[in-house]
Amino acid sequence: MAESDERKKRQANAGGVFVLAEDATNHAVSLERRRRAVRRGSDVYLPTGHEGAVLLPNIFLRSALFSANNNVGESLVDELIASLGATTELTLTGVRLGDYDRRVLAACLQYYGAGVPLCTEGGEGQWIKVTYWEFSQSIRSSYGKNVHIAIRDSLSRLNKAQLRVRFEHWDIPQLRLLEVDVDDGGAGAENSTLNPKGSDVVAFRIEASMAKLFGLNAWTAVNVSAAHDYSGLTSWLANFYSTHAKPYPLTLSYLYELCGAVCFLPEFRRRLKNSLTRLQKDDVHEDCRVGCFEMDKTSVTVELVRWG
């Protein structure tokens, strides 16, 4: 009997979401959300982080999903995305995404950190509505016309993106990164606003299936500086190494594939050295600052200051 109950419990919590009893207290929910995503009844909640951090699944940070190349917006159908780990498979249909899209998605996810449940299937009235000025603050940008357009276009790309995720012994056949109300505030690229204003409103929601990627030890609280203050390869590296707890060598060819670079490998090596050197500077937050790195012709080993 005990074995059967334990098996049912494992099945109930498969896919990363920890299931609590429907009468579980708010305190019990809050405690468990410090570690992973939680379901109580029909409500599904993302984990809670701490001030100064954004939460993202490791599978997003350890892959080329938000790539370091410049082909953002390129149409893709069932594109296999390079990712770290032999048991992980990530496929994208929609358009190619970049580091700005990761910043925008991270900001959207943060709006669910204060106890707002994710959107359940067929859910209504669960749209989160914010002004473009408010959204620009959440990605640490000063509001202006160009920022307004960049946010709007990124939301449109995220709205089109659909993933298939296979991880260890479970998979998510259809995962929408974000659902955007394209009729609200000109959020879709096809609804270009002639006179964008900071008071324009964008509405979005994230489906409960996203919570499966926030299981125990499957997500990282990334320092806001690493999440928002850099671009290109420097941005990708700051986020990638935020998911690690200690240094270990990676081949340059493997890192090249993981970050989604499209330049030639010798040029990638040069850019990698420049980006890691940039992350060593004193103005980089200590949570993501590179203390030292060793690079030869075939591999690189990076050590962060916070690991010391």
Side-chain angles (χ1 to χ4, degrees):
M1 181 66 178
E3 182 180 353
S4 176
D5 290 344
E6 181 62 26
R7 184 170 63 253
K8 290 179 180 179
K9 182 178 179 180
R10 288 197 302 269
Q11 291 171 346
N13 293 301
V17 181
F18 189 81
V19 180
L20 290 170
E22 291 193 25
D23 60 354
T25 64
N26 290 336
H27 179 65
V29 173
S30 297
L31 283 178
E32 199 58 49
R33 287 184 66 202
R34 295 177 184 177
R35 307 168 67 208
R36 53 190 159 187
V38 173
R39 176 188 290 274
R40 179 180 61 182
S42 60
D43 290 334
V44 180
Y45 301 94
L46 291 179
T48 52
H50 54 82
E51 188 176 355
V54 299
L55 311 185
L56 283 165
N58 290 341
I59 195 173
F60 291 174
L61 302 174
R62 296 173 175 174
S63 72
L65 178 61
F66 298 104
S67 66
N69 71 43
N70 296 319
N71 295 331
V72 172
E74 176 189 6
S75 295
L76 303 174
V77 177
D78 292 334
E79 178 81 2
L80 184 62
I81 304 298
S83 55
L84 185 67
T87 62
T88 302
E89 185 176 300
L90 194 60
T91 305
L92 171 64
T93 294
V95 296
R96 194 175 302 281
L97 305 171
D99 59 272
Y100 198 87
D101 301 315
R102 187 197 60 247
R103 292 175 62 187
V104 169
L105 179 61
C108 292
L109 289 166
Q110 286 301 100
Y111 283 97
Y112 288 90
V116 179
L118 295 169
C119 176
T120 55
E121 185 175 354
E124 296 183 3
Q126 300 186 60
W127 295 94
I128 289 179
K129 297 185 178 184
V130 296
T131 67
Y132 276 87
W133 183 89
E134 291 171 327
F135 202 97
S136 69
Q137 303 309 295
S138 68
I139 60 171
R140 290 162 65 101
S141 293
S142 298
Y143 177 79
K145 182 178 179 179
N146 290 340
V147 171
H148 185 115
I149 293 172
I151 292 171
R152 182 199 67 202
D153 290 348
S154 177
L155 289 168
S156 179
R157 290 191 294 271
L158 290 166
N159 185 59
K160 295 173 183 177
Q162 183 169 288
L163 301 179
R164 172 159 190 169
V165 182
R166 291 178 177 174
F167 182 69
E168 293 183 350
H169 303 297
W170 55 269
D171 72 309
I172 309 173
Q174 292 182 322
L175 173 66
R176 290 192 66 177
L177 288 179
L178 191 68
E179 184 178 1
V180 181
D181 184 349
V182 294
D183 295 323
D184 195 345
E190 66 274 17
N191 291 335
S192 178
T193 50
L194 297 178
N195 184 29
K197 300 183 294 294
S199 58
D200 289 341
V201 175
V202 59
F204 63 87
R205 63 185 179 184
I206 296 176
E207 296 176 354
S209 53
M210 179 69 78
K212 295 180 179 180
L213 303 182
F214 284 87
L216 197 63
N217 301 320
W219 55 277
T220 296
V222 180
N223 182 273
V224 291
S225 179
H228 295 309
D229 291 352
Y230 308 103
S231 61
L233 181 58
T234 305
S235 173
W236 188 90
L237 291 167
N239 283 268
F240 175 71
Y241 282 106
S242 292
T243 69
H244 298 171
K246 61 182 180 180
Y248 60 90
L250 287 170
T251 64
L252 295 181
S253 59
Y254 189 36
L255 199 61
Y256 171 86
E257 183 181 10
L258 277 180
C259 75
V262 293
C263 58
F264 291 111
L265 193 57
E267 173 63 11
F268 170 72
R269 187 178 185 277
R270 184 190 69 82
R271 294 181 184 182
L272 176 61
K273 182 178 180 180
N274 289 343
S275 291
L276 291 174
T277 300
R278 170 67 186 92
L279 291 173
Q280 286 183 302
K281 293 185 178 298
D282 291 340
D283 63 345
V284 177
H285 193 282
E286 63 181 15
D287 281 356
C288 51
R289 188 188 309 155
V290 172
C292 61
F293 65 92
E294 295 181 5
M295 184 187 303
D296 57 29
K297 292 183 179 180
T298 61
S299 67
V300 61
T301 303
V302 174
E303 183 165 351
L304 299 188
V305 168
R306 65 181 171 87
W307 296 340

